[in-house]
Amino acid sequence: MNNRKKISIIGSTGSIGTQALEVIDKLRDKFEIIALAAGSNVELLKLQAEKFRPKYIYAAKEINVEGIKTLNSLDEIASNKENDIILVACSGKVGLKPTLKAIENGINIALANKETLVMAGDIVMKKARENNVKIIPVDSEHCAIHQCIKNISQVDKLIITASGGPFLHKSAEEIKHATVKETLNHPRWNMGKKITVDSATLMNKGLEIIEAHHLFGFDYENIEVVIHPQSIVHSAIEYVDGSVIAQIGLPSMHIPIQYAITYPERFEGIKSKSFSFAEIARLDFEKPDFEKFPCIKLAYKAGKLGGTATACLNAANEEAVFAFLDRKIKVCMIYEIVRKMLDEHVLIKNPSIEEIFKVDSDVRRKTREYISSLNIK
Ligand code: MG
């Protein structure tokens, strides 16, 4: 009975975390939950703890559940070697430190938190190699690539698909006047607010290019983006001989989450129905319009600059997205703001983690100040 995989979830009340618990609920005999951690949603964390009975819980706010020990920090979860794997499902920079700590402790990571690699991909991947730790991507595109790759040295190119988001067929003028509600109306994926705005501007794809660069060690020239509105092909790779392998499936985050936490095994688990090519009937592909969606170009630029440029991109983007969600700026200004911050950024080529966090907070402050100075009503 006790060869169950021991797992902790950082960010159990978010979109990925709750879906991960749905997966685990179907695979109760395969998993033992060590710890569940949340930010401020203590009501939901309480319900989860009562249902799944982890050994430990942690929340950014005060929480008490009878018979379950409350921890004082995420670090305590990340340094608990009982864990076979930790699912890092929180959003934002809060995921970075516990991920590094878990890697130092030799614990495998199922990684849903983009910021970890966008902010500090070089450091994280180097540490993972040194500690022989597997980083298994949860992001559907990277999970797809992970599933396609057999021999990475024979792969020539990564092809990341993008649904195109809610603005795909809108004109630049329509995008300019898009409301928060229109922006959050994603046609394919149901996700948290921040990532849904990123999907509308295609900055999400930009962040994913940076993620792919670190995860698979590919140059930016060999990472391509293609628009694929149906979100059935989750990404593909091209081998040196021209053979292309794609991973295909219905657009549900349950599948990549389950893959990442059960890897290298596979179980029926959450699968609800069989895939039918005939039902899908057609798949469309087109080139991304870099003029209409310039954020992708910015991400390539930051990625190629390397060092702290991607942490700057991430911080400026997140602050701009928050300002948009607060209705302080229009969605089209996100690009202008991030570009300005990136242009003015003083690059550190091989930063330490402390320097990365400093860039993060400096750029955030500068971005907020700049947005206030715009004085837009
Ligand atoms: Mg994705």
Side-chain angles (χ1 to χ4, degrees), residues 134-174:
K134 287 192 186 73
I135 310 248
I136 306 140
V138 171
D139 208 348
S140 61
E141 296 77 3
H142 307 81
C143 180
I145 291 168
H146 193 266
Q147 294 185 59
C148 293
I149 290 177
K150 282 268 182 323
N151 185 341
I152 200 160
S153 67
Q154 295 170 339
V155 180
D156 203 27
K157 189 168 82 177
L158 309 181
I159 304 157
I160 297 181
T161 54
S163 71
F167 299 156
L168 178 58
H169 294 120
K170 292 226 168 27
S171 67
E173 193 57 27
E174 285 172 301

Side-chain angles (χ1 to χ4, degrees), residues 227-362:
I227 302 290
H228 166 47
Q230 292 94 346
S231 295
I232 296 295
V233 177
H234 299 306
S235 278
I237 60 174
E238 185 177 322
Y239 279 99
V240 285
D241 61 2
S243 228
V244 175
I245 312 282
Q247 188 260 333
I248 292 177
L250 296 172
S252 155
M253 278 313 290
H254 285 123
I255 300 171
I257 292 168
Q258 181 173 306
Y259 172 86
I261 63 176
T262 60
Y263 180 82
E265 294 192 78
R266 288 187 191 259
F267 304 104
E268 191 172 320
I270 201 84
K271 180 180 163 191
S272 55
K273 62 184 240 183
S274 252
F275 183 81
S276 161
F277 274 100
E279 251 174 61
I280 301 297
R282 60 177 284 180
L283 299 172
D284 297 303
F285 300 93
E286 59 186 89
K287 270 192 179 165
D289 182 338
F290 290 121
E291 299 307 312
K292 217 161 80 178
F293 300 106
C295 285
I296 301 188
K297 276 195 295 192
L298 266 189
Y300 271 114
K301 184 181 166 188
K304 286 176 187 171
L305 283 169
T308 48
T310 54
C312 167
L313 174 92
N314 177 65
N317 177 60
E318 195 165 316
E319 290 302 323
V321 170
F322 290 156
F324 168 65
L325 287 170
D326 280 346
R327 292 164 171 82
K328 287 181 186 152
I329 59 165
K330 287 186 182 298
V331 70
C332 58
M333 289 172 65
I334 294 172
Y335 163 74
E336 296 297 339
I337 291 165
V338 179
R339 192 192 60 175
K340 181 178 166 64
M341 293 303 139
L342 198 58
D343 281 348
E344 292 172 9
H345 179 58
V346 182
L347 185 77
I348 306 170
K349 202 65 199 161
N350 291 301
S352 65
I353 277 291
E354 290 70 30
E355 285 171 319
I356 290 171
F357 277 111
K358 184 163 188 319
V359 165
D360 180 80
S361 55
D362 288 351

